[in-house]
Amino acid sequence: MSTNTINPDTWVDKYSDYLFNYTIVRVDDREVAQDLVQETFFAGLKSMKNFKGEASERTWLISILKRKIIDYYRKINSNKGKAEVRIKYTSDNETEGDWLEERVADPFDGNAENEIENEELGLAIHNCIGKLPEKQAMIFKMKTIQGFDTEAICNEFDITASNLWVIIHRARTAMAECLEKNWF
């Protein structure tokens, strides 16, 4: 059983600055960042019963916040693909006018292609991670994919934070080179 507990009474004091700084870098809008942090706290309150204590309270809140940021970008990007088309028409010499047509992208258009592409990318990423040295791959997955806290990873592998970032940098560089050869 884990010793990590959850105490929402201290969230604002303990985590609001950290969560805000994490968010502002990703959304570059102060009001949106504040809203996303607030939504994170509300979502955390609603799902407190799901907290298993496998990670620290802060790590758990960050994982909720990451989903909120993704949802934010999905929402603003869902309006892409819309276009207005103004067409001049003349039915006869006396009546002339404009016709405004709004075209909305078909959400099902290209889904099969996107799914295949995502599956291929997933396989390429998995293969590239498999080519990393074992320790580097484990640390890369814990930090980048699973979102573990730096301190937790450092404790797990008995390394310093600066060593962790060197390992992450090397893994990212190797992953970029591998994906460039095997994916692009």
Side-chain angles (χ1 to χ4, degrees):
M1 194 75 174
S2 177
T3 59
N4 289 328
T5 59
I6 193 165
N7 183 2
D9 295 334
T10 63
W11 287 355
V12 173
D13 293 334
K14 288 171 79 175
Y15 307 120
S16 60
D17 289 340
Y18 179 83
L19 295 175
F20 176 79
N21 290 333
Y22 181 91
T23 308
I24 193 72
V25 171
R26 285 154 180 83
V27 298
D28 198 30
D29 184 322
R30 188 171 188 78
E31 287 183 30
V32 171
Q34 289 170 340
D35 289 345
L36 290 171
V37 170
Q38 185 177 16
E39 288 175 24
T40 298
F41 288 145
F42 286 138
L45 285 171
K46 287 181 183 177
S47 62
M48 281 176 37
K49 63 184 176 298
N50 297 331
F51 182 73
K52 297 176 184 164
E54 294 172 353
S56 71
E57 190 176 49
R58 184 177 90 167
T59 301
W60 181 69
L61 288 169
I62 283 288
S63 70
I64 294 171
L65 178 59
K66 286 178 182 178
R67 284 186 234 115
K68 294 292 177 190
I69 293 170
I70 290 168
D71 290 345
Y72 164 75
Y73 278 110
R74 280 187 184 143
K75 182 179 177 185
I76 64 170
N77 288 325
S78 70
N79 292 327
K80 285 187 177 180
K82 291 184 179 180
E84 281 187 0
V85 178
R86 288 202 177 270
I87 301 171
K88 286 277 192 194
Y89 69 90
T90 306
S91 62
D92 61 338
N93 289 340
E94 293 177 13
T95 56
E96 214 175 282
D98 280 344
W99 177 6
L100 177 64
E101 178 182 325
E102 182 176 55
R103 183 179 169 274
V104 180
D106 181 1
F108 300 106
D109 186 31
N111 271 352
E113 185 178 316
N114 289 343
E115 285 181 27
I116 292 169
E117 204 170 281
N118 285 342
E119 188 175 320
E120 289 173 354
L121 177 59
L123 289 171
I125 289 171
H126 181 72
N127 289 336
C128 289
I129 288 174
K131 293 178 182 178
L132 294 174
E134 185 179 352
K135 181 178 178 181
Q136 194 178 57
M138 288 173 42
I139 290 173
F140 178 79
K141 285 190 280 188
M142 287 177 75
K143 185 66 180 168
T144 308
I145 298 171
Q146 298 167 338
F148 276 82
D149 195 331
T150 298
E151 186 179 344
I153 298 171
C154 289
N155 290 338
E156 174 85 17
F157 289 93
D158 195 28
I159 58 175
T160 64
S162 59
N163 191 5
L164 170 75
W165 291 111
V166 168
I167 292 168
I168 295 293
H169 173 73
R170 289 180 181 162
R172 286 179 179 158
T173 303
M175 289 291 293
E177 290 172 6
C178 179
L179 286 171
E180 192 170 315
K181 290 177 187 172
N182 298 306
W183 170 244
F184 295 110

